[in-house]
Amino acid sequence: MYSDIVQLTMDVHLAIEGPTVWRRIRVRSDLLLPELHTILQAAIGWDGQDQYTMTQAEGSAAHTYCAPKVLAAGEAGQLGDHVRVDSLLSSPGDTLHYRYLDWVHTVCVHSVDTDIDDLRPTCLDGAEECPIGKGVDRPIAYPHKQSDTRSTPVADANLRLRCASTSRSTEVESAAASPVIARFLRRVLGAPVPRLIELLPRCELTIESSVDLPVARTAMAKVSWFLQIVGDRGVQLTDDGHLPPSVVELLRDQLDWGIGWVGTSVRETDHHQATDLREAARNMGLVRVLKGTMVRTKAGSLLADDSRALWHHCAARLPLGRQDHEQHSGTLYLVALAASASAAQRDEMVVESMQALGWGGGGDDAFEAQKAAHPTVAFLDLIGAHGPLFYLGDGGSDSPGWARRFARDALRTQKPL
């Protein structure tokens, strides 16, 4: 998961002969790379052109992120528009190389501060002004007269920082708050997704999680129950790897399945709910199969009696799926749930957004997109987040009140590797 927002104090040095041009700046950790570019431009005094690359300084494992214009010009690297600064720089000593036109800067984290009283970027120290020439006719204009006797590199930098635009679009705010939305937006490479952008403000992704114990118990009731049934000794599976009839019978009789349980059979193959619950516990890393017996993992044992921690653990695992298209479509269903979108809004947004990825399900695209999102949709349906009428086309209109909160937490949380 992304950590809470902290302040990063960074030392920025320009590689140049002669007097050292450097700045010590303090920035918020959830900036996206284009925002850091704007701040570095203002701090050093460049003219603000959108032509830069940022390379994480990790030797053979280095990754380069580029502005769209640079990437379009054939520069090797990835689009950096939706990459958070603290995914590259989070601890003292972390370093990246920032290249603006032909000028190379070293950006190194000096310190990390959790005691925040002002999130605005600030220049704390520095010396010398940026050079002129080599493709740059002039530095950025100062917002005061050059004859001002109080002018210093630090004072000038702070004046420029205060004049720089700090407003965030919905797209930027959402990408900064949600790793999975950022990943999706990086993948679409600027293709228009207006229906997704329209729903993002309703997700309220900047709101911190505040789930209380009764809500967590309600949401995690089936998963918690299953972990108790597995217990310390485990459950012996059938020869074909299914739950034994005795456990299926308990599932039927002790858990609330609404209108979803059909018939009196106690075979798992006759009831997708039993399979969904078993697979959900496995996908969440709570159980595993050892020599034909389903046993709890270390996480499963730790979380069996802690519904609130289980809520956060499960949210951190969403969206589910082994394939990229499963995870991307699962992300879109989480957005629809967090935004309380209607079925029509959800389907239109999911189809449009998946098509922006170059995906086409063929036939009924909304139905195919839901099939692609099945691992995530099945888990949300299992815990009751969708409400009983989801498959009848009512979307999120009958979802319980906590469902939006759970979907928001899933979107805000970094999926573990």
Side-chain angles (χ1 to χ4, degrees), residues 31-92:
L31 294 173
L32 301 187
L33 295 189
E35 296 177 300
L36 179 61
H37 161 70
T38 299
I39 289 171
L40 292 174
Q41 291 279 294
I44 300 296
W46 294 119
D47 60 3
Q49 296 182 46
D50 187 19
Q51 301 180 47
Y52 67 89
T53 63
M54 297 190 189
T55 302
Q56 192 175 20
E58 290 188 355
S60 61
H63 297 282
T64 297
Y65 301 92
C66 306
K69 291 181 181 178
V70 176
L71 198 63
E75 184 84 26
Q78 306 172 50
L79 184 65
D81 279 10
H82 302 103
V83 177
R84 267 178 60 149
V85 168
D86 57 3
S87 69
L88 307 178
L89 302 172
S90 59
S91 302

Side-chain angles (χ1 to χ4, degrees), residues 200-220:
L200 288 177
R202 291 164 50 181
C203 295
E204 299 179 321
L205 293 170
T206 58
I207 297 177
E208 297 283 348
S209 176
S210 59
V211 60
D212 53 33
L213 186 56
V215 167
R217 282 176 174 165
T218 298
M220 295 293 109

Side-chain angles (χ1 to χ4, degrees), residues 16-260:
I16 187 175
E17 295 182 2
T20 301
V21 179
W22 71 280
R23 300 288 186 270
R24 175 166 291 172
I25 60 174
R26 187 173 61 210
V27 300
R28 55 191 292 167
S29 60
D30 68 335
L31 294 173
L32 301 187
L33 295 189
E35 296 177 300
L36 179 61
H37 161 70
T38 299
I39 289 171
L40 292 174
Q41 291 279 294
I44 300 296
W46 294 119
D47 60 3
Q49 296 182 46
D50 187 19
Q51 301 180 47
Y52 67 89
T53 63
M54 297 190 189
T55 302
Q56 192 175 20
E58 290 188 355
S60 61
H63 297 282
T64 297
Y65 301 92
C66 306
K69 291 181 181 178
V70 176
L71 198 63
E75 184 84 26
Q78 306 172 50
L79 184 65
D81 279 10
H82 302 103
V83 177
R84 267 178 60 149
V85 168
D86 57 3
S87 69
L88 307 178
L89 302 172
S90 59
S91 302
D94 287 352
T95 303
L96 64 75
H97 300 300
Y98 165 69
R99 179 164 64 85
Y100 169 64
L101 299 178
D102 293 327
W103 302 94
V104 178
H105 311 68
T106 299
V107 181
C108 181
V109 178
H110 177 268
S111 62
V112 179
D113 190 359
T114 58
D115 185 13
I116 302 173
D117 57 4
D118 189 348
L119 285 173
R120 292 176 297 181
T122 303
C123 182
L124 304 175
D125 202 355
E128 304 298 332
E129 295 292 352
C130 70
I132 300 176
K134 202 174 181 180
V136 179
D137 295 331
R138 58 180 177 79
I140 194 169
Y142 293 166
H144 61 76
K145 294 181 179 179
Q146 292 293 319
S147 59
D148 189 339
T149 58
R150 297 170 296 175
S151 175
T152 67
V154 174
D156 291 340
N158 281 316
L159 282 169
R160 291 190 295 265
L161 286 169
R162 283 194 286 273
C163 290
S165 174
T166 58
S167 61
R168 284 181 147 184
S169 67
T170 296
E171 181 178 329
V172 169
E173 192 75 68
S174 300
S178 170
V180 291
I181 290 176
R183 178 172 175 260
F184 180 87
L185 292 173
R186 287 198 299 271
R187 178 64 178 78
V188 299
L189 294 175
V193 283
R195 288 183 172 88
L196 172 61
I197 300 301
E198 181 182 1
L199 288 180
L200 288 177
R202 291 164 50 181
C203 295
E204 299 179 321
L205 293 170
T206 58
I207 297 177
E208 297 283 348
S209 176
S210 59
V211 60
D212 53 33
L213 186 56
V215 167
R217 282 176 174 165
T218 298
M220 295 293 109
K222 291 185 176 69
V223 180
S224 296
W225 181 93
F226 188 69
L227 291 176
Q228 297 294 339
I229 289 296
V230 173
D232 295 329
R233 295 185 178 182
V235 170
Q236 184 69 41
L237 301 178
T238 63
D239 292 341
D240 52 2
H242 294 124
L243 295 172
S246 60
V247 173
V248 176
E249 187 175 14
L250 290 173
L251 286 173
R252 180 194 65 192
D253 295 342
Q254 296 188 16
L255 298 179
D256 180 12
W257 298 103
I259 61 175

Side-chain angles (χ1 to χ4, degrees), residues 342-344 346-347 370 388-398:
S342 68
R346 178 199 66 214
D347 291 346
Q370 183 170 309
L389 302 181
F390 175 76
Y391 289 104
L392 301 180
D394 283 359
S397 61
D398 63 332

